[in-house]
Amino acid sequence: MIREVITYPNKLLKQKSQDVEDFDQSIHTLLDDMYETMLTKNGIGLAAIQIAEPLNILIINLPNENDEQTKENLIEIINPKILNKKGSTLYTEGCLSVPEYYEDVERAEWIKVSYQDRNGNLLEKEYDGLMAIAFQHECDHLNGELFIEKLSFLKRKKFEKEWKKKLKGKK
Ligand code: Y12
Ligand code: CO
């Protein structure tokens, strides 16, 4: 089922998510809903809180070398932990909860992580490149943080002004 993606400044986006304890059918249905919702909205990453479910779940589906998003490349990540990080990289990020806004964000270039899959199996992985950026962006959602909170004071001020204008125009 396609779900509504909540957008800034919805207060729910500031909520900290909780760990998943039972890897039951309701979690599988939620993961399937997240995938359907993310694809429909042309996203490459989505956290459960973005569809108003405060659980430590995220999905990432990066395009392949032919710029196609295939389900084989879908990664379902439950109860993630970033164990180690190194280096620094700058990337122009976007977020389905802050539509039509893109800005450069600095993040670690390499990360070592652990997480569980949909059946509760524990995995340990190392990521770099776009996968490392997406993983960190989505983990921030689980801690109630959006990428706009990483902007400089002046960029954030400009964003808030533009966003208010945009929301007023929608009334
Ligand atoms: C690198 C940086 C950030 C991420 C997090 C995941 N971000 C997204 O999936 C963003 C998707 C997005 C899609 C949009 O829609 C289209 O481009 C058609 C979009 O634009 C509008 O909403 C108009 C904005 C963001 C992963 C990797
Ligand atoms: Co986001």
Side-chain angles (χ1 to χ4, degrees):
M1 186 173 66
I2 298 167
R3 309 269 295 263
E4 184 197 348
V5 175
I6 58 174
T7 56
Y8 182 77
N10 190 313
K11 283 199 178 74
L12 264 180
L13 290 166
K14 295 201 74 65
Q15 190 172 323
K16 286 194 196 303
S17 293
Q18 301 294 310
D19 269 353
V20 171
E21 282 172 9
D22 300 319
F23 293 78
D24 56 18
Q25 184 56 47
S26 71
I27 296 302
H28 295 178
T29 304
L30 176 56
L31 283 162
D32 295 341
D33 285 357
M34 286 173 66
Y35 180 64
E36 212 182 325
T37 304
M38 185 184 72
L39 277 198
T40 307
K41 312 269 178 193
N42 293 308
I44 56 172
L46 189 76
I49 192 62
Q50 293 179 271
I51 57 165
E53 299 280 359
L55 287 169
N56 283 329
I57 300 180
L58 59 98
I59 58 169
I60 296 172
N61 192 197
L62 300 184
N64 63 19
E65 56 280 5
N66 302 318
D67 217 23
E68 294 158 347
Q69 243 176 328
T70 65
K71 201 162 186 184
E72 293 134 55
N73 292 329
L74 170 68
I75 309 186
E76 297 175 333
I77 295 157
I78 303 173
N79 302 336
K81 286 186 184 68
I82 298 178
L83 305 172
N84 200 356
K85 48 169 94 175
K86 279 182 200 157
S88 148
T89 185
L90 206 61
Y91 190 83
T92 309
E93 298 191 9
C95 177
L96 290 176
S97 293
V98 193
E100 294 174 86
Y101 182 77
Y102 307 89
E103 194 46 85
D104 288 353
V105 176
E106 193 180 341
R107 298 203 183 264
E109 202 221 327
W110 173 93
I111 52 173
K112 184 176 180 182
V113 302
S114 72
Y115 61 87
Q116 285 167 283
D117 67 14
R118 64 161 59 205
N119 298 310
N121 301 306
L122 187 64
L123 304 160
E124 221 174 81
K125 301 268 182 194
E126 292 176 24
Y127 294 125
D128 59 10
L130 191 56
M131 185 61 199
I133 294 165
F135 200 103
Q136 292 171 80
H137 175 112
E138 300 308 334
C139 278
D140 279 353
H141 277 294
L142 307 184
N143 290 318
E145 259 193 47
L146 293 173
F147 77 108
I148 51 169
E149 282 156 71
K150 300 202 176 293
L151 303 181
S152 69
F153 179 77
L154 282 179
K155 277 189 178 164
R156 179 65 187 269
K157 225 172 131 181
K158 188 164 175 271
F159 163 79
E160 291 297 342
K161 201 172 160 191
E162 286 170 5
W163 201 255
K164 262 189 199 138
K165 200 171 154 193
K166 177 176 151 155
L167 293 181
K168 245 185 174 177
K170 283 193 172 160
K171 274 187 188 166

